[in-house]
Amino acid sequence: MKPDDPNLKRVEPPKLTLLEKTYLPQILGGLAVTGRHILGSAIGGKAVTVQYPEEQHVPTANYRGVHRLNKDEQGRVKCVACMLCATACPAHCIDIVGATAPEDWPDREKYPESFVIDELRCIYCGMCEEACPVDAIELTGLYDITGLSREELIYDKAKLLSVFDMTKDAEPMKTGNPPASLPVPTSPLDPEGPGPRTTVPAAQLPSRS
Amino acid sequence: MATWQIAVILVKIFLIVGLFQGAVAYMILLERKIAAWAQDRIGPNRCGPLGLLQPLADGAKMLLKEDVIPGYVNKPLYILAPAIAIVMATIGFAVVPFGPAGLDAPTVNGNPIHFQIAPNVDIGILYVFAIGSLAVYAVILGGYASNNKYSFLGGLRNSAQIISYEIPLGLSVLGMVMLARSLELNDVMSWQDRNGLGPIPAWGVFVQPLAFLIFLVSAFAETNRLPFDLAEAEQELVGGFHTEYSAMKFGMFFLGEYLHVITVSFLTVILFFGGWDAPFLGVEDTSWIAAVLKVGVIFFKVTLMVIFIMWIRWTLPRFRYDQLMNLAWKALIPLALLNLVVTMVLIQLFRGVG
Amino acid sequence: MTLLDSRDLALIAAIVALGWVGIWLLLPHRHGGVKTARAYRVGALLSAIAVLLVLPYLTPPGDLLARLFFYSFSLLALLGAVLMITARNPVNSALWFAVVVLSSSGLFLLAGAQFLAAGTVIVYAGAIIVTFLFVIMLAQSHGQAIYDRSARRPLAASLTGMLLLGALISAIIAPGATRKDGDPAPIYSVGAIADQPPADGPIAAVTAQALTETSRLPRPLEQGETPAHVAGLGATLFTDHLLTVQVVGLLLFVALIGAVAIATPKAPIRPDRSTASSSPGSATTNPGGVS
């Protein structure tokens, strides 16, 4: 749009009255606002502060904290080592070593022999959660992870599974598998189709509510 | 001068310096509390009941931190600057009365005990202004000696600001000085007490409302507090003149700033809110009970003023530099001159009557 | 004026000579060159001796405490003055000037001139030297220039200064130059005006009228309290020296107008040659511009 375009509407700043030019009414108005807040939190107890160690902050349901590796109802890791999360991760903090699944796991070909997330490198964007086709990786509401060394905060598979044990009651899995009626996208890592997986959501659905 | 007089003066000096430096520690706590409340937070509350021991922790932190002197600074000036800041902020209290002084002072065996370190200093308020005008050296030297562009800019901004705002500050006070016919702060206070219409006292804020506003704005600028803290604008200048200072040297700048706030609050209360004047306390009452009450009244008013200054800090945003200069030169100085002339004319007209 | 006795003359001559050589040695080199440390040391020694020789001519006030303050302020002022002219960094020079001003106002305070002391601090130390510092610091952004590091004609300058000092000392200590205790007080001193009875003449009439109104004198003076200086000073300024005040005010006003006239940016008298030739557009639109 050119500066002389006829559609351009020029707005003149409003003329201030003499009283407004002194800014005194505005200053008094501002003082009233801050005064209300000061009195409100000093006397009225309207402060929003959470006294952290004594009071624990409960994050919202969509908060993205520490990861967990979900387990299915048989207690096995749900992950199928498809590498989609590691590929999607913008911070390259996920390292998966896949291996052929044991003989008695008929529903998958591979499982993660090692699954390591560098929690210091992670930017908690949630892309891994989005990418996972089997909803094996999820971000929990845990926000207070600490450690005395960098190594401590590189979480391996056992630790990620223990996070699931820790949080499964407070935060049931956010998404189960899609219902059987919906067409399930086939992926090269899952050539057998949805067949075996339909058993899982049936068991899981009650716990989602 | 008798030995006991010197002893009394020394006691008063120690009392005032100790009291106000202690008060500064608690002002910092109060400032943090008010900041927190204005932002719907609670503020420091871990150290002792209600956080009342927090100032001790802050002081210990300041003293125990590593005192870094960067290698490229102008060392004598770098060390001198915080010292100037705190010295100038402290010696300004010499003529500030914190209770009845001069003729209204209570007596012991016929000898008056003045609630003022240096009573009967003829130039009174001029002395405070002289000391205040020297405080700019701390900032400009700190900025120059740090050899840092941010510090330097902060120092330059501040010196121009303080020089500009000294003019309306001085002019706004003149009205009260002419009415009280004295530069001494005691006389200004007793004038406010003695005059007045019935129950309404002749406080400066009522007889010189315009001068009060000008004084308040200029005083904010002189103390470098928001909305005039361009010299240390954190967002632009990374702290300004004290960027390169650490530990107690930084603490001394801090202490100086808060002592300035106390001085300015005292001046405002004395010049425009009647000082120790309260409806039930007269200037004639020179008993000790009245003296103690007057000290209580003046400290109460000063506390309210300090709280108001902090309240303003969390209300108004910072001025832009050209707005700052325009405000001083194009608004405050002409208004102060107008106020001065009108006051002069009125005094001359009513002199025969009053 | 009678001649000084020979002892005083010799002392003054010694002050002038020692101070001359000492300050010349202390001053920066003419062309900003390097001087040896020994030259500075000898210069400092000679100047210190000259400063000490001045001390007998100072008449301190009576009290021990006041005497202590008097000598501290005097020495500080002299030391600051020497360091101010010999400092090689202009910022340090300005700061030593501030020291001189502050010490002088301390001396003013000891002499009872409170208003003068406060005025000196506010005007000189608080505003003028800060402006100096401002300008010096802004000009120094690329390090010190040659004119900052060199002294112009150090030998003649220091001699002139010391000769002036010698003349001043001899004028002060010459018999008859100072008022003895028995002499009548000068008529226009501040304290005397308040006591003066109303006399004939316009000045006296105005004085007598004005003083009772503008000073806070009606109340009784306390023991040991001095009369109001500021009121008396104001009365003197606006009665005895009214013309001077008016002229100085006018002068300052003219200076202010001049400063505004200089500071206002105005259009160039003729277009700049370099910009005119570098941009063809302006050369064509303004063919007569390049003259």
Side-chain angles (χ1 to χ4, degrees), chain C residues 120-146:
Chain C
T120 313
V121 171
I122 292 175
V123 173
Y124 279 93
I128 293 184
I129 298 178
V130 172
T131 319
F132 282 175
L133 277 176
F134 208 89
V135 173
I136 294 169
M137 287 175 181
L138 278 179
Q140 264 192 347
S141 54
H142 300 294
Q144 291 180 18
I146 181 77

Side-chain angles (χ1 to χ4, degrees), chain C residues 204-226:
Chain C
V206 171
T207 310
Q209 212 177 20
L211 265 184
T212 49
E213 291 292 347
T214 52
S215 72
R216 57 177 179 81
L217 277 181
R219 76 172 173 76
L221 291 181
E222 266 181 85
Q223 184 68 35
E225 196 196 9
T226 45

Side-chain angles (χ1 to χ4, degrees), chain B residues 122 126 137 144 156 159 184, chain C residues 114 125 134 137 140 216 228-229:
Chain B
D122 223 17
L126 278 185
Y137 278 95
Y144 172 74
L156 286 187
S159 49
E184 244 182 85
Chain C
Q114 296 177 348
F134 208 89
M137 287 175 181
Q140 264 192 347
R216 57 177 179 81
H229 292 85

Side-chain angles (χ1 to χ4, degrees), chain C residues 77-100:
Chain C
L78 289 170
L79 190 77
V82 170
L83 284 170
M84 175 200 138
I85 54 172
T86 55
R88 275 177 297 172
N89 186 348
V91 172
N92 290 355
S93 271
L95 290 176
W96 284 117
F97 186 24
V99 170
V100 174

Side-chain angles (χ1 to χ4, degrees), chain A residues 5-190:
Chain A
D5 193 289
N7 292 327
L8 210 58
K9 205 163 122 191
R10 296 204 176 272
V11 181
E12 288 292 318
K15 283 260 179 267
L16 298 182
T17 61
L18 188 66
L19 188 65
E20 281 173 336
K21 272 184 191 163
T22 62
Y23 297 115
L24 286 180
Q26 285 80 5
I27 288 173
L28 290 179
L31 283 174
V33 170
T34 43
R36 225 170 23 241
H37 278 269
I38 288 172
L39 290 181
S41 32
I43 301 167
K46 284 189 185 160
V48 296
T49 308
V50 174
Q51 298 284 339
Y52 166 60
E54 291 94 29
E55 279 175 53
Q56 290 283 345
H57 168 64
V58 181
T60 52
N62 57 355
Y63 184 84
R64 298 194 297 265
V66 182
H67 312 76
R68 70 180 184 195
L69 272 183
N70 290 344
K71 293 178 184 174
D72 59 15
E73 73 281 4
Q74 299 169 38
R76 305 174 303 173
V77 59
K78 274 175 91 177
C79 175
V80 294
C82 68
M83 300 285 186
L84 275 180
C85 53
T87 311
C89 180
H92 303 299
C93 66
I94 306 180
D95 185 62
I96 305 172
V97 177
T100 313
E103 291 294 323
D104 51 343
W105 290 14
D107 53 346
R108 67 189 80 175
E109 283 189 342
K110 291 170 78 186
Y111 84 106
E113 199 174 46
S114 115
F115 194 110
V116 178
I117 298 180
D118 187 345
E119 299 286 347
L120 289 180
R121 215 166 152 175
C122 175
I123 59 170
Y124 300 95
C125 63
M127 301 275 256
C128 46
E129 195 177 359
E130 301 278 331
C132 186
V134 293
D135 295 317
I137 186 166
E138 267 179 1
L139 297 178
T140 64
L142 289 185
Y143 50 85
D144 49 352
I145 52 166
T146 50
L148 293 173
S149 66
R150 290 175 176 277
E151 288 73 27
E152 258 178 69
L153 292 175
I154 298 177
Y155 281 18
D156 59 3
K157 190 169 78 174
K159 198 146 187 188
L160 289 166
L161 286 170
S162 73
V163 175
F164 172 76
D165 292 335
M166 208 190 304
T167 57
K168 66 182 174 194
D169 297 328
E171 301 173 53
M173 278 183 261
K174 287 170 193 163
T175 50
N177 285 327
S181 57
L182 288 178
V184 176
T186 53
S187 73
L189 281 177
D190 197 3

Side-chain angles (χ1 to χ4, degrees), chain A residues 31 34 37 41 48-49 51, chain B residues 37 40 42 45-46 311 314-315:
Chain A
L31 283 174
T34 43
H37 278 269
S41 32
V48 296
T49 308
Q51 298 284 339
Chain B
W37 291 334
D40 286 346
I42 291 178
N45 64 343
R46 293 275 152 178
W311 183 10
W314 295 102
T315 300

